[in-house]
Amino acid sequence: GETQGVLILKPACAFPPPVVAAFQRDGKPLPINRVKFDDGDLIISKISKDDHGYYECEVSNEVATVVRSTLLI
């Protein structure tokens, strides 16, 4: 079933500030209608069991490109 909640992923803190290139879950795009970005954070509303999986974010700035993964169980 669906539960009310929010998952917040902060991909990276850096200087100069990184640009978020892509967020995905299990290699697929995120559900646009439940996703928003706020100051570099990814916020997914209405978390449910179906949202489990590996979340991956690619960010980059002038210095480096970094990929960060998070597993939501």
Side-chain angles (χ1 to χ4, degrees), residues 7-71:
L7 169 67
I8 301 176
L9 301 172
K10 187 144 189 107
C13 296
F15 186 83
V19 173
V20 175
F23 267 109
Q24 52 186 320
R25 184 188 84 211
D26 296 330
K28 300 174 188 164
L30 298 178
I32 299 295
N33 59 334
R34 295 179 26 237
V35 172
K36 75 175 190 171
F37 297 97
D38 184 17
D39 193 29
D41 293 333
L42 169 66
I43 302 170
I44 304 173
S45 61
K46 299 180 183 175
I47 297 292
S48 75
K49 290 189 318 184
D50 295 334
D51 290 317
H52 75 279
Y54 283 96
Y55 286 78
E56 191 172 85
C57 177
E58 180 180 309
V59 296
S60 62
N61 66 11
E62 299 166 6
V63 178
T65 297
V66 175
V67 176
R68 177 180 255 180
S69 298
T70 300
L71 174 62

